[in-house]
Amino acid sequence: DAGVIQSPRHEVTEMGQEVTLRCKPISGHNSLFWYRQTMMRGLELLIYFNNNVPIDDSGMPEDRFSAKMPNASFSTLKIQPSEPRDSAVYFCASSSPSAGGISDTQYFGPGTRLTVL
Amino acid sequence: DQQVKQNSPSLSVQEGRISILNCDYTNSMFDYFLWYKKYPAEGPTFLISISSIKDKNEDGRFTVFLNKSAKHLSLHIVPSQPGDSAVYFCAASEWGNTGKLIFGQGTTLQVKP
């Protein structure tokens, strides 16, 4: 199993440009999560999908951020326009359902390090 | 605003000794707690978890303790090894909302040989 795949691994862009981050979850996993890691706030959940449907996007910072999951094997996180304060590491994670309502183990990708100049 | 807090940004321990990482939470609806470990340039990986019906869960060198009345959990690593050097995140979720994990800021553990 290849695990969660994210691309690109590094992205450097200029303020005002559009940035698109990509994620391929583990095959068979039906939940997908986007996180942002910063020194100040640690790991913040931005949005998560269940069966390709957005369930909770309360962590999305503002309208400049949008996420889509057109099918079970692909998701994108887009920032338009990007700002220097968006610089962070963005992680995608996926999980599969378990019985009993117990939290499902999330498997993380290697992350995309975004730098906005 | 932080519902899960790790107040120690870093911890340094000698190899062979015990490492204790702490985590506090404010939301009394949290009933499942997890620890993740993260190496540089990698994503976090699941380490150990505990549900609110227990106060202790052990897996090899790793033990998690939960004190619900104090809203506090801790991760003990005994004995600590240099390969344990990483960032450790605690996370929590509510019953019925198992998809949503709230993470702390992380604690960087350094185990010195």
Side-chain angles (χ1 to χ4, degrees):
Chain A
D1 194 335
V4 175
I5 299 173
Q6 290 187 247
S7 64
R9 292 295 307 274
H10 302 273
E11 176 80 34
V12 180
T13 190
E14 293 187 346
M15 183 174 64
Q17 296 297 306
E18 177 179 298
V19 174
T20 299
L21 310 181
R22 295 172 176 79
C23 175
K24 176 178 169 57
I26 293 173
S27 177
H29 284 190
N30 71 335
S31 295
L32 183 140
F33 309 82
W34 282 101
Y35 290 90
R36 178 171 66 176
Q37 183 191 7
T38 60
M39 289 295 293
M40 289 295 293
R41 300 180 67 85
L43 271 170
E44 299 176 273
L45 176 66
L46 301 177
I47 185 171
Y48 79 93
F49 297 83
N50 196 38
N51 293 322
N52 312 339
V53 176
I55 302 300
D56 186 336
D57 65 354
S58 59
M60 295 286 261
E62 46 197 276
D63 292 345
R64 297 184 297 107
F65 286 70
S66 62
K68 294 182 179 179
M69 192 166 185
N71 57 61
S73 59
F74 184 66
S75 178
T76 59
L77 177 67
K78 185 176 293 186
I79 308 173
Q80 166 64 17
S82 57
E83 296 182 3
R85 60 193 169 119
D86 301 331
S87 298
V89 181
Y90 291 81
F91 289 101
C92 175
S94 69
S95 69
S96 61
S98 60
I102 300 298
S103 280
D104 313 313
T105 298
Q106 295 183 18
Y107 296 83
F108 283 75
T112 295
R113 181 173 293 277
L114 173 65
T115 302
V116 183
L117 303 174
Chain B
D1 185 45
Q2 285 276 131
Q3 297 185 69
V4 178
K5 298 179 182 179
Q6 294 176 257
N7 292 317
S8 298
S10 63
L11 175 68
S12 182
V13 171
Q14 204 68 32
E15 181 180 6
R17 306 295 291 269
I18 185 171
S19 295
I20 300 176
L21 297 95
N22 294 303
C23 180
D24 297 295
Y25 61 96
T26 57
N27 187 344
S28 58
M29 298 299 290
F30 287 152
D31 68 342
Y32 196 71
F33 306 88
L34 308 90
W35 286 93
Y36 279 76
K37 176 179 177 180
K38 183 186 178 304
Y39 292 118
E42 296 182 10
T45 55
F46 170 74
L47 186 58
I48 192 170
S49 62
I50 188 168
S51 74
S52 59
I53 61 173
K54 295 184 176 181
D55 55 16
K56 176 183 174 181
N57 189 27
E58 196 170 350
D59 184 1
R61 297 186 297 114
F62 302 90
T63 303
V64 57
F65 295 91
L66 175 63
N67 182 334
K68 286 180 289 183
S69 61
K71 294 190 177 66
H72 176 84
L73 65 155
S74 60
L75 175 69
H76 293 211
I77 307 173
V78 183
S80 301
Q81 299 174 354
D84 296 329
S85 297
V87 179
Y88 290 79
F89 291 97
C90 71
S93 70
E94 297 181 25
W95 182 267
N97 196 6
T98 58
K100 188 170 184 174
L101 291 181
I102 307 299
F103 282 84
Q105 306 96 311
T107 297
T108 299
L109 172 66
Q110 183 185 24
V111 180
K112 297 179 179 178

